[in-house]
Amino acid sequence: VQTCDLPIYASHANSGKIPTKQPEIVYELVNQKNSKIVGIMIESHLYEESSKTDPCLPWKETKEMILEVYDML
């Protein structure tokens, strides 16, 4: 049986396209300490204007989430 390492996408269906739910999903994934999860992708933007395609997490919240994840590892 061959296993796969997976990146997980915290946006879209996993967050119900509600960007403010992404940190909750990311923290839950990190807390699983599952070695098969090799990455977590999020929707974020550097500037206040929103994405043309999907809602995104603002940079301030993204930075806070990244620092929190760093502390969790």
Side-chain angles (χ1 to χ4, degrees):
V1 174
Q2 188 174 10
T3 60
C4 297
D5 295 334
L6 298 171
I8 305 292
Y9 196 41
S11 190
H12 292 273
N14 287 327
S15 68
K17 287 195 172 190
I18 301 171
T20 55
K21 287 188 174 183
Q22 291 183 99
E24 174 185 335
I25 294 160
V26 169
Y27 300 146
E28 182 179 325
L29 290 167
V30 172
N31 279 326
Q32 287 180 16
K33 301 198 185 310
N34 183 337
S35 64
K36 295 297 176 191
I37 298 174
V38 296
I40 301 170
M41 297 180 291
I42 63 166
E43 291 270 351
S44 180
H45 58 85
L46 293 174
Y47 305 104
E48 291 304 314
E49 62 268 3
S50 61
S51 167
K52 303 271 189 246
T53 57
D54 294 307
C56 297
L57 193 63
W59 175 245
K60 180 178 183 272
E61 285 84 355
T62 301
K63 181 180 174 184
E64 291 168 359
M65 180 179 59
I66 291 169
L67 293 172
E68 179 69 25
V69 167
Y70 178 80
D71 288 340
M72 293 169 74
L73 297 175

